[in-house]
Amino acid sequence: MTDEQIEGLVARIIQRLKPPVLTFVTAADGYRAAIRQRLAGCGYPLRIALEEGLADADAWQAVGEIIPSSAWQDSLPAAPWRAVLLPFLDYPLAADLLNGTLHSPVARCAHDALLAGIPVLALRYHCDPHSELNQLRGAQADSAYAGHLQATLARLEACGVFLGTMNELLAKLAAPAAPAAVASEPRRYLTVTDVVNNPALAATPRAQLTDAAIDFLKNRKI
């Protein structure tokens, strides 16, 4: 093999070792070509879930692997996802996710990802009244309703959705993944022998008893 072939093979292997990013492409208008171009060069393998009827659907085939709609319409596809990406999060979708109404398949998948502890990253251009895009559209950032939108987005962030610019989002993707949380005390069930030897153990706040130990305590009225 030539040096170029070896380098290409190494690059493909490294790419496969990176967990893919599940990217939902919805119909929100604005910055679509620029967002698509930046994501195409992000360095992570993208799996693209497209809403039906998008005018630029064909253009996304060059950005990543398109997932059939049947694979994600009902629930989040099973995979070791690096993150779930919402590059076109508009306010209706943000409110749908926050309120738990989950009418759309995209909201349901984001809901599943949050429950599973998978990072959910979203660009704030389309939903934030302070963004340049919405300012160009005439949004009055100091209006009472804009304040309501901002409060909604703050609550969404408190639920675990990262809202940022494209540069912030790509930096978040490049950051090392946080290690899984490890319980400070491993769960151990107390047996009848443990309770007989030291009855005080059953009264500790984190005590977990076997069925037999529970029955023993009931019979002894401890």
Side-chain angles (χ1 to χ4, degrees):
M1 297 179 66
T2 65
D3 289 343
E4 290 183 356
Q5 290 174 325
I6 293 174
E7 290 177 359
L9 178 60
V10 171
R12 287 194 295 273
I13 292 174
I14 293 175
Q15 190 78 352
R16 289 180 179 179
L17 290 176
K18 291 183 178 180
V21 177
L22 180 57
T23 305
F24 289 99
V25 179
T26 55
D29 192 24
Y31 300 164
R32 293 184 71 87
I35 290 172
R36 186 168 58 246
Q37 184 178 9
R38 288 294 302 278
L39 290 179
C42 74
Y44 281 88
L46 303 181
R47 303 291 183 268
I48 310 293
L50 298 172
E51 275 192 335
E52 297 291 336
L54 295 178
D56 60 351
D58 291 342
W60 288 93
Q61 295 181 9
V63 178
E65 178 183 333
I66 306 298
I67 300 177
S69 59
S70 59
W72 62 272
Q73 289 288 314
D74 296 324
S75 62
L76 183 73
W81 301 113
R82 172 70 178 86
V84 167
L85 178 60
L86 303 172
F88 301 102
L89 179 71
D90 56 12
Y91 184 76
L93 177 57
D96 192 17
L97 179 58
L98 179 63
N99 295 332
T101 49
L102 308 181
H103 293 310
S104 75
V106 176
R108 289 196 293 271
C109 287
H111 164 83
D112 291 345
L114 290 169
L115 283 178
I118 300 170
V120 176
L121 316 177
L123 294 179
R124 65 185 314 125
Y125 305 137
H126 301 87
C127 59
D128 187 348
H130 286 93
S131 73
E132 182 184 51
L133 176 61
N134 284 312
Q135 295 293 304
L136 289 171
R137 289 170 169 170
Q140 299 297 316
D142 59 349
S143 68
Y145 188 66
H148 167 72
L149 301 187
Q150 286 283 70
T152 300
L153 297 179
R155 290 170 57 204
L156 190 63
E157 289 182 294
C159 292
V161 177
F162 175 82
L163 290 171
T165 65
M166 177 61 81
N167 288 344
E168 291 169 340
L169 186 146
L170 294 181
K172 195 77 172 177
L173 275 180
V182 178
S184 58
E185 296 181 23
R187 175 175 290 184
R188 177 179 178 273
Y189 286 87
L190 300 177
T191 66
V192 173
T193 301
D194 295 325
V195 175
V196 169
N197 292 336
N198 188 358
L201 290 175
T204 58
R206 300 177 64 88
Q208 299 285 337
L209 284 74
T210 63
D211 291 341
I214 293 173
D215 291 339
F216 173 80
L217 291 174
K218 287 180 178 178
N219 292 333
R220 292 296 182 93
K221 297 182 180 180
I222 296 177

